[in-house]
Amino acid sequence: LFRSLVLEGARYMVALQIAREPLVRQVLRQTFQERAKINIIPSKKGRKEIDEAHYAYSFKYLKNKPVKELRDDQFLKMCLAEEEGLLSIDICIDLKGVDGFADQTYFEEIKQFYYRDEFSHQVQEWNRQRTLAIERALKQFLYPQMGKELKNKLLLEAKDFVIKCCSRKLCNWLKVSPYRMDQQVEEDDDFMEESQSKGIRVLGMAYSSERDHPVFCALVNGEGEVTDFLRLPYFTKRRTAWREEERERKATDIETLKKFLLNKKPHVVAIAGENRDATMMLDDVKRIVQELDQGQQISSIGVELVDSELANLYMNSKKSETEFRDYPPILRQIGRA
């Protein structure tokens, strides 16, 4: 018993010394990252919840997939599913569950470098102890550490990919040039009064896809400040609605918007493309602008349909809540038009 305890302690110290050797760690880290394979098994909860429509369906079961084949944000999704308790991730250097490869492990490759090439019984016994020490160094100390390092590295790379995609998307949103008026539209007395600031005045129109939700309008001056806003509760209704009450309220909102345009004289009306209702609103606003233009009550006003993704992002941000605390969420969309 005493002899076995002494050998156990000696093997532990040798294994610890091997595991702490910088050159060993460097070589193993490089090899581990080159050969590492990922295995995924769903939990009981995962087997029930992960169906064809779930984001984790494509990696519900994985066996010996090389980590070098992971692309984009795949590993980040795997980690999210693991945090939700849907599956378990195992990263190893050797093939798992494949017949005929039991003697082709990394341990079998390197143990010979720690052997003493003699044939006496005593040397063979020491070689066996060396083998146990190397096995312990790998399985108890090095493999778990290398697996943890690689997992953190893969997660960081996946997050960097998402950050770069978001940065590229945000850049594409922001690098749009300012709206330019037609050359025929000049800064006359109608478009530049003393009370109005210089620059392009934009009337933004935003609404929710929810039923019976009002349309909000905000006038933004050339300095990016909201100077006025308007609420049109029935503007999403159709002019040809079946109910007479809806037709009358729609007409009232149209007149209200017409007076607002006549009074504030924006250079362009930007309508958020939330859903298909935006095309109907586009036609209604163009009709209003055409009536004002034909009556020579106001110079030509541009009407544009714009992507509302950036506006929705801003609406849900903490900054919009701070800057426009008294505004309803939809009106915050055009607070930074």
Side-chain angles (χ1 to χ4, degrees):
L1 179 63
F2 180 73
R3 178 174 175 272
S4 63
L5 291 176
V6 172
L7 286 173
E8 176 70 20
R11 286 197 299 268
Y12 176 81
M13 293 305 299
V14 172
L16 189 61
Q17 185 177 3
I18 293 173
R20 295 295 184 267
E21 181 65 37
L23 187 58
V24 172
R25 295 172 70 88
Q26 178 185 348
V27 173
L28 182 60
R29 182 179 292 109
Q30 181 179 356
T31 306
F32 194 94
Q33 293 181 5
E34 289 176 355
R35 301 188 186 182
K37 300 163 186 65
I38 186 168
N39 295 276
I40 292 181
I41 300 175
S43 63
K44 185 178 179 180
K45 177 183 177 183
R47 286 193 294 270
K48 182 179 179 181
E49 293 187 10
I50 301 177
D51 55 12
E52 290 84 350
H54 199 275
Y55 73 90
Y57 182 73
S58 61
F59 50 83
K60 184 177 182 179
Y61 291 94
L62 283 184
K63 185 175 181 181
N64 297 322
K65 178 183 177 71
V67 296
K68 293 188 293 185
E69 296 181 5
L70 292 174
R71 296 291 180 267
D72 304 337
D73 60 344
Q74 280 184 330
F75 193 73
L76 179 59
K77 292 178 180 177
M78 293 175 184
C79 291
L80 290 175
E82 187 179 39
E83 289 179 3
E84 294 173 10
L86 300 176
L87 48 82
S88 60
I89 300 174
D90 178 47
I91 298 178
C92 59
I93 193 173
D94 300 315
L95 291 172
K96 263 191 167 185
V98 179
D99 296 335
F101 288 89
D103 58 346
Q104 298 183 24
T105 63
Y106 184 69
F107 165 68
E108 293 293 333
E109 288 182 30
I110 66 170
K111 70 178 184 180
Q112 58 183 328
F113 298 115
Y114 202 46
Y115 274 5
R116 188 167 180 178
D117 194 14
E118 295 181 13
F119 300 97
S120 66
H121 176 71
Q122 188 175 8
V123 171
Q124 292 298 322
E125 282 297 312
W126 278 116
N127 282 342
R128 192 173 70 85
Q129 297 300 321
R130 292 187 182 98
T131 301
L132 293 173
I134 294 174
E135 186 177 18
R136 186 167 188 174
L138 292 175
K139 294 184 178 180
Q140 184 174 342
F141 300 116
L142 292 171
Y143 283 171
Q145 180 65 26
M146 297 302 148
K148 185 178 180 181
E149 287 183 11
L150 182 57
K151 188 174 182 179
N152 291 335
K153 180 184 177 184
L154 293 172
L155 184 59
L156 184 61
E157 290 175 353
K159 288 181 177 179
D160 286 342
F161 171 81
V162 174
I163 291 172
K164 287 179 181 178
C165 288
C166 293
S167 300
R168 197 179 304 116
K169 185 74 170 178
L170 188 59
C171 179
N172 291 335
W173 280 337
L174 296 177
K175 71 180 182 181
V176 178
S177 62
Y179 177 79
R180 293 184 179 181
M181 297 177 291
D182 295 335
Q183 294 180 355
Q184 300 173 351
V185 179
E186 298 179 357
E187 294 291 339
D188 54 18
D189 292 338
D190 285 340
F191 270 80
M192 189 55 63
E193 298 177 358
E194 293 182 359
S195 60
Q196 295 172 334
S197 62
K198 294 182 180 181
I200 304 294
R201 293 183 300 280
V202 180
L203 178 66
M205 300 182 67
Y207 62 98
S208 172
S209 57
E210 297 178 6
R211 185 178 177 84
D212 297 329
H213 199 280
V215 174
F216 287 96
C217 308
L219 184 68
V220 182
N221 63 18
E223 298 176 354
E225 298 176 350
V226 178
T227 57
D228 207 343
F229 58 88
L230 183 67
R231 184 176 182 271
L232 303 173
Y234 301 101
F235 200 77
T236 53
K237 304 296 182 183
R238 296 186 178 275
R239 285 172 175 260
T240 57
W242 183 76
R243 297 177 60 185
E244 183 180 356
E245 183 183 4
E246 290 184 359
R247 294 199 302 270
E248 292 176 354
R249 289 176 175 178
K250 170 78 172 189
T252 302
D253 278 357
I254 289 175
E255 288 299 318
T256 302
L257 180 60
K258 187 183 292 185
K259 292 178 182 178
F260 190 85
L261 293 174
L262 190 61
N263 184 33
K264 301 300 179 181
K265 301 179 178 66
H267 296 98
V268 62
V269 179
I271 302 172
E274 189 70 28
N275 54 28
R276 194 169 180 178
D277 289 342
T279 58
M280 180 190 68
M281 292 174 57
L282 183 72
D283 293 337
D284 289 339
V285 176
K286 282 184 176 180
R287 190 179 291 109
I288 294 172
V289 170
Q290 188 177 7
E291 290 175 2
L292 292 174
D293 190 26
Q294 289 176 351
Q296 297 183 350
Q297 296 175 282
I298 194 171
S299 300
S300 178
I301 298 175
V303 184
E304 302 289 343
L305 198 63
V306 297
D307 189 352
S308 61
E309 280 188 302
L310 183 59
N312 285 324
L313 183 66
Y314 178 76
M315 177 186 71
N316 295 313
S317 67
K318 294 292 183 182
K319 186 176 181 181
S320 71
E321 294 180 9
T322 304
E323 293 188 358
F324 302 101
R325 192 180 303 275
D326 299 330
Y327 284 21
I330 298 298
L331 191 55
R332 292 176 194 157
Q333 279 193 31
I334 40 182
R336 279 298 176 195

